Amino acid sequence: MGNEPRLGSKVFYKIGEVSHVTKLPAYVLRFWESQFPFLKPKKSRGNQRLYERRDVETVLEIKRMLYDEGHTIEGVKRYWARRGRVSAHKMRPKELAQKLRGNLQAILKMLESHSA
């Protein structure tokens, strides 16, 4: 547990670390990259995927929408298209609170599943 990567402690995360943090297989992350054009991790010189914190947060939000809320991939695509995925987009406090609440609920579920 002590060597688990903490979100925010690094600038870039490799796909294996993102897989570990999000509890998703690497092939799911690669598939989501093909489905969601806004999810584009940088590539290293060795062609390894390098996820930024924002990318990891996006993956967690997509996971919550698909697995916890029961949306389809097409539904999530429509949500992001309506929302307008712009990097300079500032969230309103209510939106931010809802997003954080959803992420915290997803994390809590993961923690509860591991303690059972």
Side-chain angles (χ1 to χ4, degrees), residues 22-40:
T22 61
K23 306 291 188 245
L24 291 167
Y27 69 85
V28 170
L29 298 171
R30 289 189 296 271
F31 174 72
W32 286 359
E33 288 174 30
S34 72
Q35 297 298 305
F36 304 106
F38 53 83
L39 186 58
K40 292 278 187 227

Side-chain angles (χ1 to χ4, degrees), residues 19-112:
S19 176
H20 183 73
V21 168
T22 61
K23 306 291 188 245
L24 291 167
Y27 69 85
V28 170
L29 298 171
R30 289 189 296 271
F31 174 72
W32 286 359
E33 288 174 30
S34 72
Q35 297 298 305
F36 304 106
F38 53 83
L39 186 58
K40 292 278 187 227
K42 295 178 180 359
K43 298 278 181 115
S44 70
R45 288 186 195 167
N47 213 24
Q48 280 193 321
R49 288 167 170 80
L50 299 175
Y51 290 80
E52 295 177 349
R53 178 185 175 97
R54 175 187 167 110
D55 297 324
V56 179
E57 290 170 349
T58 300
V59 167
L60 286 170
E61 189 165 354
I62 292 170
K63 179 182 178 183
R64 177 182 55 79
M65 292 176 77
L66 291 173
Y67 295 178
D68 297 341
E69 296 179 6
H71 294 281
T72 62
I73 287 180
E74 289 304 315
V76 174
K77 285 181 185 180
R78 281 193 301 272
Y79 168 81
W80 286 104
R82 277 192 310 248
R83 186 173 172 194
R85 185 67 152 135
V86 179
S87 60
H89 173 68
K90 292 190 178 184
M91 296 180 87
R92 286 179 265 149
K94 185 175 181 178
E95 284 179 306
L96 181 59
Q98 289 173 336
K99 177 181 174 183
L100 291 174
R101 182 174 182 248
N103 287 344
L104 289 172
Q105 287 174 334
I107 292 168
L108 183 60
K109 282 185 181 181
M110 284 186 256
L111 291 172
E112 288 172 347

